[in-house]
Amino acid sequence: VQLVESGGGLVQPGGSLRLSCAASGIIYSDNIMGWYRRAPGKQRELVATITWETNTVYADDVRGRYTITRDNAKNTVYLQMSSLKPEDTAVYYCELKMRSGSGSPWVGYWGQGTQVTVSS
């Protein structure tokens, strides 16, 4: 399984960016895709996740500003980020967590990360 992220870059405060993450390989439908981030000097933290059925979870500090969506036919997850703040600056990582069946263990895969910098 390979995850390829795109869409990061430099944006001014208040601006918007859209991240994409495409998964390839053998992908089971029982999966959760998500975005995490690591800011300088901090640990990696959850940003948002979305199940195959499009149930979503958001971190408190991005709820209302970020929207996670997915295209199951393309095995791709998106993160639309709006009203960006300097504290959103981080490397954003995509994760795919999946299992072959309800009794099987979850297995996780990570993308290489994409830099998002919010600065004037």
Side-chain angles (χ1 to χ4, degrees):
V1 175
Q2 185 176 18
L3 302 176
V4 178
E5 298 137 336
S6 61
L10 173 65
V11 63
Q12 291 187 341
S16 299
L17 276 178
R18 187 191 194 211
L19 305 183
S20 300
C21 173
S24 61
I26 298 176
I27 311 295
Y28 299 115
S29 60
D30 194 354
N31 72 63
I32 302 170
M33 298 190 79
W35 291 94
Y36 293 73
R37 66 186 180 187
R38 178 180 286 147
K42 296 186 177 181
Q43 292 187 336
R44 186 158 53 190
E45 62 179 7
L46 168 74
V47 175
T49 62
I50 185 167
T51 67
W52 180 269
E53 299 83 7
T54 69
N55 297 311
T56 58
V57 171
Y58 291 94
D60 289 342
D61 59 352
V62 306
R63 189 177 294 112
R65 300 189 297 122
Y66 289 14
T67 301
I68 188 169
T69 57
R70 63 186 292 164
D71 183 334
N72 289 337
K74 296 181 179 179
N75 289 317
T76 299
V77 63
Y78 306 95
L79 186 69
Q80 178 67 48
M81 305 182 292
S82 302
S83 302
L84 283 162
K85 307 173 182 178
E87 51 264 43
D88 294 318
T89 295
V91 178
Y92 284 69
Y93 297 91
C94 172
E95 186 200 29
L96 166 67
K97 188 164 57 178
M98 66 179 182
R99 59 183 179 179
S100 59
S102 60
S104 301
W106 292 96
V107 180
Y109 302 87
W110 292 93
Q112 79 285 356
T114 185
Q115 177 70 46
V116 172
T117 302
V118 184
S119 175
S120 55

